[in-house]
Amino acid sequence: KTVNKDSNNVMARQIMLSVGARQLGAPATPRKGAEAIGRWLESRGLNFPELRIENGAGLSRIERISSRHLGELLVDAFNSPYRDALIESMAALGMEGTVRNRLKGSAARGYGRFKTGTLRDVRAIAGYIQAQDGEVYAVSIIHNDASAGSKVKKAHDKLIEWIFAASH
């Protein structure tokens, strides 16, 4: 919870390093962390050829994952025994963490759990929204270009609201 809700990048990096050292031996290195995570994904049948992990926190111009594959990871996690722990670790839409000020006045407030990512010219949001019809949907949006500013953030929020309100 401490890492995800408030986006603690230092702790995220330390977790990646610890996983690498535990799985592949000391000393802890970013390469070992990335390799251990890649092996774990493969063990779950998740093959993401474009995936690049540099520091474990996403604060990197080198790190890569497609929005589609991030969505597949979210679906896999939702169907795993760790679903509740993951969802609880993510910030509640319009209420806490990095999404505390997003969609505060919306009926969707509190119905989504998300993790955000921001770099210059990059905005991302990924997580889950429980729609009004009771269905839970995985959402993964990555916008990567010079226009990734407040207009993009508003577009992401409108898509989340649309998913929340849609009857499927």
Side-chain angles (χ1 to χ4, degrees), residues 36-66:
I37 292 167
R39 288 180 183 183
W40 178 81
L41 290 168
E42 286 178 12
S43 78
R44 299 201 50 82
L46 300 169
N47 180 22
F48 306 153
E50 81 289 352
L51 180 66
R52 299 290 177 269
I53 300 172
E54 180 188 30
N55 65 22
L59 289 175
S60 168
R61 297 283 176 196
I62 294 169
E63 294 198 1
R64 297 278 183 271
I65 190 168
S66 70

Side-chain angles (χ1 to χ4, degrees), residues 87-100:
I87 290 173
E88 182 59 31
S89 81
M90 300 168 93
L93 185 62
M95 299 174 71
E96 59 189 359
T98 59
V99 293
R100 81 172 96 358

